[in-house]
Amino acid sequence: MNAIEVNGISKHYGKVHALQDVSFSVRSGEVFGIIGPDGAGKTSLYRILCTLLKPDGGTASVEGHDTVGQMKEIRKRVGYMPGRFSLYQDLTVEENLKFFATLFGTTVEKGYDNIKAIYSQIERFKDRRAGALSGGMKQKLALSCALVHQPSVLFLDEPTTGVDPVSRKELWEMLLMLKERGITIVASTPYLDEVHCCERVAFLDKGCIRGIDTPEIILEKFKDVFNPPGIKRSEELIVKSEELTSAAPDHVIEVSHLVKAFGSFHAVDDISFTVKKGEIFGFLGANGAGKTTAMHMLTGLNQPTSGTGRVAGYDICKEHEQIKKHIGYMSQRFSLYEDMTVAENIRLFAGIYGMKHEDIKLKTDELLSRLHFTEHKNDLVGSLPLGWKQKLAFSVSIFHEPSIVFLDEPTGGVDPATRRQFWELIYEAAGRGITVFVTTHYMDEAEYCDRISIMVDGKISAMGTPEELKRKYNQPDMDHVFTYLARQATRSSD
């Protein structure tokens, strides 16, 4: 018996065809994956199946109920966990759970047995605001909120984006436990190890289904998208990087005994390290390990409780405004203004970095030409393909030629082929002498770094090249190294 039937569904937003004649079915109790690049139409499809959006053509049913004519019946039966967690950040853990229970006409007490295995892991933090939780804890709360009314079908729209590998594994262990209770699960994810947890997957691309089969068959058939060849720095860039490092032995980052305390809690607990010019330095850690707090101090956004540090030659305690002018920064969501044009974004950020008007004009033309964006300079950033946005955001972050650029999970939720293109840009920047300080939850990207530090419970637990760390901990890859160290953590939140 099929829990979900989709027949010829289409959805348009003006001239944009988000979904085009999409058809598939999901068996009851199946774990079914919907995979594809950003903008493929996955979220529109989820919203239609959850009755939050009406299709422009075709029909869809969930457990025999039509998504347009029988919305109330479907809403009783489905749980929906969208990307970005769907939680109210200013409400406590308990308040979020009670709100969702009330929304579905039930109580936490009635649904407690259904969520006990998951909620019990975070229940001791029930009075903490959701915004203060680590990524893994938010994930568990969001899943509890989606399950409190005892749904029989669960929709998960990239629920693990921005979550560390250990927390991701824990979520999928929970999902497989839910499958054993007969719950039908439809999930999308950019992580290949999670794709393999599904029984079947549908590859959605530009609003169309390009294939439905087992994960192994789909990933092999479309390996150019999901498993592009690994990248290596060219010999020319390696030589350039080595020349820059030897010519400038001074460190771009120097940190000594850095501490950041919030009351009695030490988010960053006595860390020391250095980073060389032109180095690609991976700064890894599970959600709650303290790496974001450390980055905020290095970028001048927060002041340390004790310890010292210098970034680009400036003291992080006394010269944080100077630091902001001499670094580049790019966050997971690309840091661009989507309702401004390409040229307007470039001018805005160049001005923020203190560049002169004549320099901005000259360098803008050079950048547009180098990126082949000249004809698109007046296009709104929101209309650009994901890969273009990513390339533009990175180029803008180093437009003023900083000595170091901080990249905070810049490829979160991005498909493998687009991530690969982004790392080619990183290699080019390092080849020009720009130091790259990058955080990532993709362990294949950790392999691309010159050196890596891994934080656990506010301390740097390991540091070295990827090869050194794999040898030291006798692990086959960085994913296993990270998991081995992160599972030694004793605290639950940052």
Side-chain angles (χ1 to χ4, degrees):
M1 177 183 171
N2 290 329
I4 299 168
E5 293 278 2
V6 177
N7 297 298
I9 286 289
S10 296
K11 184 65 187 178
H12 306 150
Y13 302 101
K15 295 180 181 179
V16 177
H17 291 238
L19 296 168
Q20 302 180 62
D21 195 27
V22 171
S23 299
F24 64 91
S25 61
V26 180
R27 297 186 287 267
S28 292
E30 184 176 21
V31 179
F32 187 86
I34 299 176
I35 59 176
D38 211 52
K42 300 187 295 293
T43 298
S44 292
L45 181 58
Y46 277 114
R47 292 177 67 81
I48 287 171
L49 293 173
C50 292
T51 75
L52 301 173
L53 197 64
K54 290 184 179 180
D56 294 324
T59 61
S61 65
V62 177
E63 295 200 328
H65 299 281
D66 183 75
T67 58
V68 175
Q70 297 172 294
M71 291 183 182
K72 287 185 178 179
E73 288 300 317
I74 289 177
R75 290 177 183 178
K76 293 176 186 175
R77 291 168 164 79
V78 304
Y80 179 40
M81 190 172 162
R84 314 310 303 166
F85 300 121
S86 72
L87 300 172
Y88 290 91
Q89 304 295 305
D90 290 334
L91 295 182
T92 66
V93 168
E94 187 175 46
E95 288 169 343
N96 266 282
L97 193 58
K98 284 182 176 178
F99 172 78
F100 280 95
T102 304
L103 201 63
F104 288 111
T106 187
T107 64
V108 175
E109 291 72 25
K110 285 182 181 177
Y112 189 80
D113 286 344
N114 196 52
I115 63 172
K116 182 178 179 180
I118 300 163
Y119 185 61
S120 62
Q121 299 178 41
I122 57 171
E123 193 169 8
R124 65 185 183 278
F125 303 106
K126 65 182 181 180
D127 296 324
R128 183 173 296 180
R129 288 187 178 185
L133 300 176
S134 68
M137 291 171 70
K138 284 182 180 177
Q139 200 182 47
K140 290 167 186 172
L141 176 57
L143 187 55
S144 297
C145 291
L147 292 169
V148 71
H149 62 297
Q150 303 182 53
S152 51
V153 180
L154 185 60
F155 292 99
L156 304 152
D157 188 4
E158 297 193 0
T160 56
T161 295
V163 178
D164 68 84
V166 173
S167 295
R168 291 197 294 106
K169 290 181 175 74
E170 289 176 351
L171 179 87
W172 275 89
E173 287 168 4
M174 295 176 203
L175 295 181
L176 296 177
M177 176 185 69
L178 295 174
K179 171 188 162 53
E180 291 176 5
R181 284 161 38 185
I183 296 177
T184 304
I185 297 169
V186 181
S188 57
T189 176
Y191 297 97
L192 299 189
D193 57 330
E194 295 182 4
V195 173
H196 282 288
C197 293
C198 302
E199 293 165 81
R200 289 188 303 145
V201 294
F203 173 30
L204 189 64
D205 185 32
K206 297 177 182 176
C208 299
I209 296 281
R210 290 180 60 185
I212 300 175
D213 216 311
T214 64
E216 293 73 21
I217 290 174
I218 292 296
L219 294 178
E220 174 60 29
K221 186 175 181 180
F222 300 102
K223 60 184 178 183
D224 57 321
V225 175
F226 296 106
N227 194 24
I231 61 171
K232 291 185 178 179
R233 237 185 298 192
S234 68
E235 287 299 322
E236 181 183 354
L237 288 176
I238 291 173
V239 170
K240 272 187 184 179
S241 179
E242 290 174 347
E243 288 174 349
L244 287 164
T245 302
S246 60
D250 292 339
H251 295 110
V252 181
I253 297 178
E254 297 175 278
V255 171
S256 180
H257 301 292
L258 203 61
V259 173
K260 182 63 180 180
F262 298 96
S264 61
F265 178 72
H266 285 205
V268 174
D269 192 7
D270 193 14
I271 64 172
S272 300
F273 65 92
T274 57
V275 181
K276 294 179 288 188
K277 181 179 176 64
E279 188 172 25
I280 301 174
F281 187 79
F283 198 60
L284 310 185
N287 296 109
K291 64 183 187 302
T292 299
T293 304
M295 276 191 73
H296 284 172
M297 289 187 283
L298 295 178
T299 53
L301 298 174
N302 213 331
Q303 292 294 291
T305 303
S306 63
T308 60
R310 299 187 76 82
V311 173
Y314 297 98
D315 189 309
I316 64 172
C317 298
K318 302 174 184 175
E319 300 173 292
H320 39 274
E321 291 304 320
Q322 285 295 325
I323 288 173
K324 291 175 187 176
K325 293 178 182 178
H326 289 85
I327 64 170
Y329 180 80
M330 177 180 166
S331 71
Q332 182 179 333
R333 302 316 299 172
F334 307 145
S335 314
L336 298 173
Y337 289 92
E338 302 232 330
D339 56 352
M340 293 172 62
T341 67
V342 169
E344 286 169 344
N345 266 280
I346 295 171
R347 285 198 298 271
L348 172 67
F349 284 97
I352 290 172
Y353 285 125
M355 293 180 64
K356 295 179 180 177
H357 179 73
E358 53 270 26
D359 292 337
I360 294 174
K361 188 177 187 310
L362 178 65
K363 288 200 68 177
T364 296
D365 292 339
E366 291 175 356
L367 176 61
L368 291 170
S369 176
R370 188 167 74 248
L371 296 179
H372 306 293
F373 276 16
T374 302
E375 293 181 5
H376 301 280
K377 67 179 181 180
N378 295 319
D379 292 359
L380 291 177
V381 165
S383 69
L384 300 178
L386 177 68
W388 289 27
K389 286 183 191 177
Q390 202 181 39
K391 188 182 294 187
L392 177 62
F394 181 69
S395 299
V396 166
S397 73
I398 59 173
F399 188 68
H400 56 304
E401 292 294 324
S403 55
I404 180 169
V405 61
F406 289 87
L407 307 176
D408 191 3
E409 295 180 32
T411 55
V414 178
D415 64 90
T418 306
R419 289 198 293 114
R420 185 184 189 281
Q421 293 170 6
F422 187 79
W423 272 86
E424 289 174 346
L425 295 176
I426 289 178
Y427 280 170
E428 289 175 11
R432 300 207 306 272
I434 296 176
T435 303
V436 179
F437 189 100
V438 58
T439 71
T440 180
H441 285 318
Y442 290 98
M443 291 302 105
D444 60 325
E445 293 184 353
E447 304 271 2
Y448 299 153
C449 298
D450 295 319
R451 276 192 311 142
I452 293 164
S453 82
I454 300 177
M455 286 191 73
V456 178
D457 288 346
K459 297 179 182 293
I460 291 179
S461 181
M463 186 178 297
T465 68
E467 290 305 317
E468 286 170 350
L469 294 179
K470 285 183 281 189
R471 282 197 304 271
K472 180 177 180 179
Y473 296 103
N474 194 28
Q475 300 293 338
D477 53 40
M478 283 307 303
D479 183 61
H480 282 79
V481 171
F482 183 93
T483 301
Y484 172 76
L485 292 170
R487 287 200 185 277
Q488 296 175 21
T490 58
R491 71 191 196 192
S492 301
S493 69
D494 198 329

